[in-house]
Amino acid sequence: DAGVIQSPRHEVTEMGQEVTLRCKPISGHNSLFWYRQTMMRGLELLIYFNNNVPIDDSGMPEDRFSAKMPNASFSTLKIQPSEPRDSAVYFCASSSGLAGRDEQFFGPGTRLTVL
Amino acid sequence: GNSVTQMEGPVTLSEEAFLTINCTYTATGYPSLFWYVQYPGEGLQLLLKATKADDKGSNKGFEATYRKETTSFHLEKGSVQVSDSAVYFCALRRLAGGGNKLTFGTGTQLKVEL
């Protein structure tokens, strides 16, 4: 299996622009998670989906952030408009949710820089 | 609510030294406990896990024992290598009402020198 795939790996944009991050979970996994990692705040869970349905979005920082999962093999995290404080590494993770095999598998991350 | 507390880093050790990274947790019920490792420039990888009290998780020479009486899950390795340099995250998952959501600690950076 290819593991969790994220694109792009690096994104540099200017303040005010729209940014879209993409994630393809491991085939057969039914839970998907978006995290943000910064030096100041560490690893934060932004939102997670179960069977394509958002379950907990309490970590989404504000209305500029939105996430979708239109099908079991694709999710997006959108920031519009972007701000310099959004600069971070964004990780996507997936898990099968099966008893005893519930660990999360992380993608390589997208490093976002907002100038 | 659920929380995980890890020792502050960075931890700097010489190769072949003994490693302990402390982790304690707060949670209701019986959470599953995990250690994840993040190598530079990569995502987190599961290192080991334990799902019930007194279970010992082990992998790549690392081990951790689920201690319910002290609410701890300390990570240990008898002899570290330079290649173990990474950031280590302790995490818990409380099944009831928590779904697959993990609560992570802040991470502990380990640096191993020759």
Side-chain angles (χ1 to χ4, degrees):
Chain A
D1 199 315
V4 175
I5 299 173
Q6 290 187 246
S7 64
R9 292 294 310 275
H10 301 274
E11 176 82 30
V12 180
T13 190
E14 292 188 344
M15 183 174 62
Q17 296 298 306
E18 177 180 296
V19 175
T20 300
L21 311 181
R22 297 173 176 79
C23 175
K24 176 178 168 56
I26 292 172
S27 177
H29 282 190
N30 64 354
S31 296
L32 184 140
F33 307 79
W34 281 103
Y35 293 88
R36 176 171 69 176
Q37 186 178 39
T38 61
M39 289 293 292
M40 291 298 294
R41 301 174 68 92
L43 192 65
E44 305 172 274
L45 176 66
L46 301 177
I47 185 171
Y48 84 93
F49 296 83
N50 217 31
N51 295 318
N52 312 339
V53 176
I55 302 300
D56 183 351
D57 65 355
S58 59
M60 295 286 263
E62 49 198 276
D63 292 345
R64 297 185 298 106
F65 285 69
S66 62
K68 294 182 180 179
M69 191 165 187
N71 57 61
S73 59
F74 183 66
S75 177
T76 58
L77 178 68
K78 185 176 293 187
I79 308 172
Q80 164 65 13
S82 58
E83 297 182 3
R85 61 194 168 118
D86 302 331
S87 297
V89 181
Y90 291 81
F91 289 104
C92 176
S94 70
S95 74
S96 69
L98 296 175
R101 298 175 62 186
D102 53 358
E103 60 263 34
Q104 293 183 18
F105 293 82
F106 281 71
T110 295
R111 181 172 295 277
L112 173 65
T113 303
V114 183
L115 302 174
Chain B
N2 302 330
S3 67
V4 175
T5 302
Q6 292 182 234
M7 60 190 289
E8 292 275 338
V11 173
T12 302
L13 296 174
S14 298
E15 201 169 43
E16 299 184 359
F18 184 86
L19 168 71
T20 300
I21 299 178
N22 290 338
C23 171
T24 57
Y25 67 90
T26 301
T28 55
Y30 299 91
S32 294
L33 301 174
F34 305 82
W35 277 101
Y36 280 80
V37 58
Q38 183 179 28
Y39 298 103
E42 299 183 10
L44 281 70
Q45 305 172 24
L46 179 67
L47 180 60
L48 54 85
K49 70 176 185 180
T51 57
K52 61 183 187 296
D54 299 326
D55 264 3
K56 177 184 284 189
S58 61
N59 185 26
K60 300 181 181 181
F62 291 89
E63 46 181 48
T65 301
Y66 188 143
R67 301 284 189 202
K68 187 162 178 62
E69 63 276 14
T70 54
T71 62
S72 65
F73 193 54
H74 304 322
L75 182 68
E76 297 182 336
K77 186 176 185 183
S79 176
V80 294
Q81 306 299 313
V82 172
S83 57
D84 294 327
S85 298
V87 181
Y88 292 81
F89 292 88
C90 186
L92 71 81
R93 184 175 72 85
R94 188 174 70 85
L95 184 56
N100 286 331
K101 180 177 172 180
L102 289 174
T103 300
F104 283 93
T106 53
T108 302
Q109 184 176 16
L110 170 65
K111 299 180 181 178
V112 181
E113 302 172 334
L114 291 171

